[in-house]
Amino acid sequence: MKILVGILCFTIIYGCGCSDDETINYNLNEFESSAMSTIAQDNIQFINNEQEMQTAKVTVKITENRSLNSSDDDSCVVVLAESQENELIFEDLGRTFTTIIEKRDENKSHIVVADGPGFYGIDSLNTENLEEALADFSSDGYEFNNVFVLNSGSHSGFIIYSPLIGIQFIKNDDGSYLKRME
């Protein structure tokens, strides 16, 4: 009986250890890290399709490392992905657009903008370098260069995001829009 208790104690103490104890970090590259302003800004002017001015503000950028491990993962490998986030807030309109630039599983880059329950993102993005998704785009008589075109998850709206100034253009599903004044 003493031998059985000894084997059981040995198994409990040494059997629960990790043989694959490791941390994997997926970090944003230099371009991705600089694609979001680091400071808060007030009184950002937007004009809507009826030529009315709307004022917004941007919150400070928050950078964190998110864990990609699931709760049912038995491995001791820790996977962390760098993520940056800020918000564009239209207080008078009651709308907040949260922009997230992050690395995901397998070191893939991603940019999304959430507007409450809705979201906007780049279609079929499968790259380790977000800069490869930059494009030139035109809408409603405006030209945009070196921007991300973020399409609505299920509707016809989209957002134009500039790595230099953030959200530059918001096209709503009903055809109305907000354009940032430079």
Side-chain angles (χ1 to χ4, degrees):
M1 185 69 163
K2 289 182 183 181
I3 295 174
L4 184 58
V5 171
I7 293 172
L8 181 61
C9 288
F10 181 80
T11 303
I12 290 173
I13 293 172
Y14 295 104
C16 297
C18 299
S19 62
D20 61 350
D21 198 11
E22 177 183 8
T23 300
I24 299 171
N25 289 300
Y26 295 138
N27 295 313
L28 297 171
N29 65 31
E30 186 177 331
F31 169 79
E32 294 160 348
S33 292
S34 67
M36 185 180 289
S37 175
T38 59
I39 59 172
Q41 188 178 1
D42 291 329
N43 298 318
I44 302 169
Q45 298 297 309
F46 281 77
I47 191 165
N48 67 16
N49 51 297
E50 296 177 7
Q51 304 304 305
E52 300 168 333
M53 296 300 285
Q54 298 291 331
T55 302
K57 66 180 179 181
V58 173
T59 62
V60 67
K61 173 174 73 173
I62 298 170
T63 302
E64 67 180 350
N65 286 316
R66 297 180 192 222
S67 173
L68 298 182
N69 294 72
S70 64
S71 61
D72 61 348
D73 189 359
D74 291 333
S75 174
C76 293
V77 175
V78 176
V79 181
L80 301 174
E82 187 175 4
S83 175
Q84 297 180 348
E85 178 178 314
N86 74 357
E87 293 180 333
L88 175 69
I89 303 168
F90 292 91
E91 289 179 352
D92 291 344
L93 299 176
R95 292 183 79 182
T96 299
F97 295 87
T98 304
T99 303
I100 301 170
I101 299 175
E102 67 183 356
K103 287 292 185 181
R104 294 222 172 155
D105 208 9
E106 299 179 9
N107 205 32
K108 301 301 180 196
S109 301
H110 201 68
I111 179 172
V112 294
V113 174
D115 174 22
F119 69 93
Y120 303 82
I122 297 174
D123 294 333
S124 303
L125 183 63
N126 193 22
T127 181
E128 291 182 16
N129 183 1
L130 198 56
E131 192 171 10
E132 295 172 359
L134 289 173
D136 295 336
F137 189 78
S138 63
S139 179
D140 296 275
Y142 300 108
E143 298 289 326
F144 305 97
N145 297 310
N146 292 318
V147 295
F148 297 111
V149 180
L150 308 173
N151 294 304
S152 172
S154 60
H155 303 290
S156 59
F158 58 87
I159 290 178
I160 303 298
Y161 183 91
S162 166
L164 300 176
I165 63 171
I167 294 177
Q168 196 170 4
F169 191 80
I170 302 165
K171 180 80 169 200
N172 297 305
D173 292 332
D174 65 5
S176 64
Y177 66 81
L178 291 166
K179 183 198 179 293
R180 184 173 177 151
M181 302 304 294
E182 321 235 356

